[in-house]
Amino acid sequence: MMTNLFSVFDPSAIFNLSLNWLSTFLGLLMIPSIYWLMPSRYNIFWNSILLTLHKEFKTLLGPSGHNGSTFIFISLFSLILFNNFMGLFPYIFTSTSHLTLTLSLALPLWLCFMLYGWINHTQHMFAHLVPQGTPAVLMPFMVCIETISNIIRPGTLAVRLTANMIAGHLLLTLLGNTGPSMSYLLISFLLIAQIALLVLESAVAMIQSYVFAVLSTLYSSEVN
C-alpha cells in the first residue's frame, strides 16, 4: 500500500493527544546532570561552546549587549540544536521540521525587536529604511524594499530551518525505503550512503541552529 512520503513528519496521536511535541522539552531533563554532577569531558566541551557563543553574540550585539541578551540567544541555539539532533534518532519526532515550532520561535522574537525599535528608537528605524547614499529618486522604492524585507524576516527564519530539516529526513527516508528491493551487494553501498548522509545531517543540524541564533542576534542589534 502506497503511503505519503511526508507521513514520516506527522505526529502520532495517543488517546487523541499528540504527545510527540513533548520531545521538544526533553533537553530540560538533562540540565541537572550537566550542571550538578562532577565536570566531565562532555561538560567541559559544552561549556566551551557556550562561552564561545557568548563572546560572539556579545560582539554582534555591540555596546548595548549584555550577559542577559546573549543568554536568550544561547538558549535558543541550545533548544534548536537539541531538537535537530533528537530528530536524527529512530522513532523520535522531529519538531523543528514543522513551521508550528519554528515560526513560534521566530515570530515573537521579531515582533519584540520591532516594537522595541519603533517605540524607543523611532528615528533610527526610519533612517534604517533608506540606506546611506541612496539617490533621491530611488528612496521611495528602497523604503518599500526594506519594509518588505523586514516583514518577511520571521518567515525566512522559520522556513529556512524547516526546509533544511525536511530535506535531509526525506533523503534518509527514500534511501531506507529502497533497501528491501535491492540486492545484498547494493545494500552495503546503501548503508555507506546512509551513514554519510547521517553525518551530513548532523552537520546541518549544528549549522542551522547556529544560523538561526546568529540571524536573531543580528536582527536584535539593528534596533539598538
Side-chain angles (χ1 to χ4, degrees), residues 11-24 93:
S12 59
I14 303 176
F15 301 112
N16 295 324
L17 294 175
S18 181
L19 302 178
N20 301 83
W21 294 101
L22 293 178
S23 64
T24 307
F93 179 64

Side-chain angles (χ1 to χ4, degrees), residues 36-110:
W36 294 354
L37 300 179
M38 294 297 294
S40 62
R41 293 181 180 179
Y42 169 76
N43 296 341
I44 295 173
F45 176 71
W46 180 246
N47 289 332
S48 64
I49 293 177
L50 297 184
L51 182 61
T52 303
L53 290 174
H54 166 70
K55 293 178 180 179
E56 183 170 353
F57 292 163
K58 195 171 184 180
T59 303
L60 293 175
L61 290 171
S64 61
H66 50 82
N67 295 338
S69 300
T70 59
F71 178 76
I72 296 173
F73 300 110
I74 290 175
S75 302
L76 185 66
F77 168 82
S78 303
L79 175 66
I80 297 174
L81 179 65
F82 175 80
N83 283 280
N84 288 350
F85 268 116
M86 287 293 289
L88 296 177
F89 289 93
Y91 303 106
I92 295 183
F93 179 64
T94 311
S95 56
T96 49
S97 63
H98 290 256
L99 284 174
T100 306
L101 176 66
T102 56
L103 200 58
S104 298
L105 294 175
L107 188 58
L109 279 175
W110 177 81

Side-chain angles (χ1 to χ4, degrees), residues 23-40:
S23 64
T24 307
F25 307 103
L26 285 177
L28 298 176
L29 301 177
M30 300 182 180
I31 291 177
S33 63
I34 293 177
Y35 294 102
W36 294 354
L37 300 179
M38 294 297 294
S40 62

Side-chain angles (χ1 to χ4, degrees), residues 103 106-107 110 114 144-160 219:
L103 200 58
L107 188 58
W110 177 81
M114 289 295 102
C144 295
I145 293 173
E146 290 293 329
T147 302
I148 294 173
S149 67
N150 281 331
I151 292 175
I152 66 175
R153 277 179 175 180
T156 56
L157 269 179
V159 171
R160 181 188 295 109
Y219 296 160

